[in-house]
Amino acid sequence: MPPPFCKGLHSVMMLPRLRDPYFNYRYRHQLHVLRVTVAISLTYTLLLIFNFPHAVWALLSALVVMNNLPYVGGVLDKGGQRLLGTLLGALWGILITLIPGTPHLVVAGWALLGIALATGITFTTRYVYSGLMFCVSLLVVVGDGQQDLSIALWRFFNVMLGTSVGIAVTALLLPQKATDVLRFLLAENLDTLARLYHTHTSASTSADIDTKQLVGEIGSRLIKQQGLMDSIERERRLRHEELEQILSLQWRMLSTVELLLNTLWNTRAGYERIKSLKGFRDQQHHLARALGTLAFQVRTGQNIDITVEPFDLQRHADAITSANTEEGRMLFSPGGYLWLNRELYRLSLELISQLGGIRRLPSRRLRRRAKRHKLIASQPVEYHNKSKGFDP
């Protein structure tokens, strides 16, 4: 059994790993629970020490701002909107209630005007939550016209305290970046697309893979990526246009692969004509490997450096245009099949170009940690087995 000081040394050496992006992604749900628990505990401790009146508002604010938002960008956005709306709503309420000799109906009229303005201004913007908090804070201050102003001010203070604690804990305690989550989800999708495409081109492996399940997993991860858009924008590491383009290309690649997977040949002649095209299968396998390599480079923070062999339809034009059935009728299906493969190549090339143009995609931090997770030595080459890449 190792002596106590060895255990302590081991714990100290483990601390840097807690900021490991792979660790944070793999255990993101557990870490979110930890952050929420720490934020509530810290807020409660401050309230016990200073004994602030109406303290429950601080606890509620910390919980509301963090509960369903595990990402730094999301909490910064929601917390910032809550702070802004609370501050402006409270100030408006204080101003209209401090006017000496103002009848209650006049105060109510000014309050309604403020609510109408806030609702109208924020209705078509991303600051709807700020508008809501403005209205709530205004009503808390104004009340029914008989409320003690000090109560409203203490509530305002506690809301600001709880929200600030929630933001600080999310940003400082093992922060989870939505951009990192997008990176890993994108890499998983690229790996899965590569496996599906390789499966399609290798009949001997198709029985071992549930293609419908894998297609469903890609779609599910794309929906998760769409849900990250606001948080990613707040982190300011990707522009909105870049994010939309990445998502659009993944959807289109998924649709193309689905069409290829569901390709049915009406005649044996069409299948035989495709099978006889010289070098065509090699091109398909090369594209599958390129997608897997792209997934590897995205996941591990490498520079995007991939060369994809082009699908030259003109090279096979004569073989396709001269394809006929036994009755002499022209076959159109081989041409459509070739076009689908060329379209997948084109979309892949566009995605490679898009990702290669993102300045902050390569990451030295990820490359360092990838070595510890043995990802650098396990770059996938073939896709008849599950990828050896990062599997959360």
Side-chain angles (χ1 to χ4, degrees):
M1 183 174 181
F5 75 88
C6 288
K7 291 183 179 180
L9 179 61
H10 179 70
S11 299
V12 171
M13 293 177 67
M14 285 292 290
L15 284 176
R17 297 190 181 187
L18 295 179
R19 298 191 65 84
D20 183 341
Y22 300 104
F23 176 88
N24 286 0
Y25 176 69
R26 178 175 294 174
Y27 300 105
R28 59 192 182 279
H29 296 159
Q30 295 90 332
L31 292 176
H32 177 56
V33 173
L34 173 65
R35 284 190 290 268
V36 171
T37 304
V38 169
I40 297 297
S41 302
L42 180 58
T43 305
Y44 189 68
T45 302
L46 290 173
L47 297 175
L48 286 178
I49 294 173
F50 296 103
N51 196 26
F52 296 131
H54 307 284
V56 69
W57 285 80
L59 295 169
L60 288 173
S61 296
L63 181 63
V64 167
V65 82
M66 293 182 68
N67 188 47
N68 63 340
L69 291 171
Y71 311 116
V72 173
V75 173
L76 286 176
D77 184 39
K78 189 173 183 179
Q81 290 201 44
R82 189 177 181 86
L83 289 174
L84 177 64
T86 300
L87 177 61
L88 295 178
L91 288 176
W92 182 266
I94 291 170
L95 285 175
I96 62 177
T97 54
L98 287 182
I99 301 174
T102 305
H104 175 60
L105 288 178
V106 175
V107 172
W110 280 107
L112 287 173
L113 176 61
I115 291 173
L117 288 174
T119 303
I121 292 172
T122 62
F123 183 73
T124 56
T125 69
R126 60 187 300 268
Y127 295 99
V128 175
Y129 188 64
S130 282
L132 173 63
M133 291 311 303
F134 176 93
C135 299
V136 170
S137 302
L138 174 57
L139 293 174
V140 166
V141 172
V142 174
D144 59 359
Q146 308 298 322
Q147 183 170 297
D148 185 350
L149 186 59
S150 63
I151 296 176
L153 292 177
W154 274 117
R155 289 178 177 176
F156 161 71
F157 171 78
N158 282 306
V159 168
M160 302 291 278
L161 174 65
T163 303
S164 299
V165 170
I167 292 175
V169 170
T170 302
L172 300 175
L173 180 60
L174 304 173
Q176 178 68 70
K177 300 290 183 64
T179 315
D180 285 340
V181 176
L182 172 73
R183 176 195 294 271
F184 294 129
L185 291 174
L186 170 61
E188 289 175 42
N189 271 358
L190 290 170
D191 259 337
T192 308
L193 284 169
R195 291 175 61 204
L196 285 170
Y197 189 53
H198 188 272
T199 298
H200 168 69
T201 61
S202 305
S204 59
T205 65
S206 59
D208 301 329
I209 295 180
D210 186 348
T211 57
K212 289 184 178 180
Q213 179 183 344
L214 293 180
V215 167
E217 290 174 0
I218 294 175
S220 178
R221 285 193 287 263
L222 277 166
I223 293 172
K224 290 180 182 178
Q225 290 179 51
Q226 288 178 319
L228 296 172
M229 290 185 69
D230 289 340
S231 297
I232 291 172
E233 284 188 63
R234 185 65 176 176
E235 292 172 4
R236 301 184 186 283
R237 298 171 72 185
L238 271 178
R239 297 196 309 272
H240 183 80
E241 297 78 14
E242 292 173 330
L243 182 56
E244 282 192 332
Q245 184 69 3
I246 291 171
L247 288 172
S248 174
L249 287 170
Q250 288 181 78
W251 279 117
R252 290 152 65 191
M253 290 170 71
L254 174 60
S255 299
T256 305
V257 169
E258 273 194 284
L259 288 172
L260 286 167
L261 290 172
N262 293 319
T263 297
L264 297 175
W265 298 98
N266 292 329
T267 64
R268 183 71 181 176
Y271 171 76
E272 292 294 340
R273 183 56 61 103
I274 287 293
K275 189 177 178 181
S276 67
L277 295 180
K278 186 176 180 180
F280 181 64
R281 285 298 185 208
D282 291 338
Q283 288 178 307
Q284 290 179 312
H285 295 161
H286 180 82
L287 178 56
R289 287 193 294 271
L291 289 174
T293 302
L294 179 61
F296 171 79
Q297 292 181 351
V298 169
R299 178 184 293 117
T300 56
Q302 309 291 318
N303 292 315
I304 304 301
D305 183 18
I306 300 173
T307 302
V308 185
E309 183 180 343
F311 273 83
D312 185 5
L313 298 189
Q314 188 62 38
R315 172 183 176 184
H316 307 296
D318 291 340
I320 294 303
T321 54
S322 62
N324 296 303
T325 65
E326 294 178 355
E327 294 80 15
R329 291 180 297 175
M330 183 175 178
L331 288 172
F332 294 99
S333 53
Y337 181 75
L338 277 182
W339 182 87
L340 284 174
N341 282 271
R342 201 282 304 269
E343 184 66 7
L344 181 61
Y345 155 77
R346 188 188 65 80
L347 293 171
S348 301
L349 205 63
E350 191 173 344
L351 182 60
I352 290 170
S353 176
Q354 180 72 27
L355 295 175
I358 299 176
R359 182 175 57 86
R360 301 190 66 175
L361 187 67
S363 170
R364 185 181 303 173
R365 174 174 59 103
L366 284 168
R367 290 195 295 271
R368 285 200 304 265
R369 303 309 301 181
K371 293 178 181 179
R372 292 182 180 272
H373 290 276
K374 299 181 181 180
L375 294 176
I376 296 297
S378 60
Q379 181 177 357
V381 177
E382 298 293 344
Y383 296 93
H384 55 277
N385 292 320
K386 188 171 182 180
S387 167
K388 296 181 181 178
F390 176 61
D391 183 22

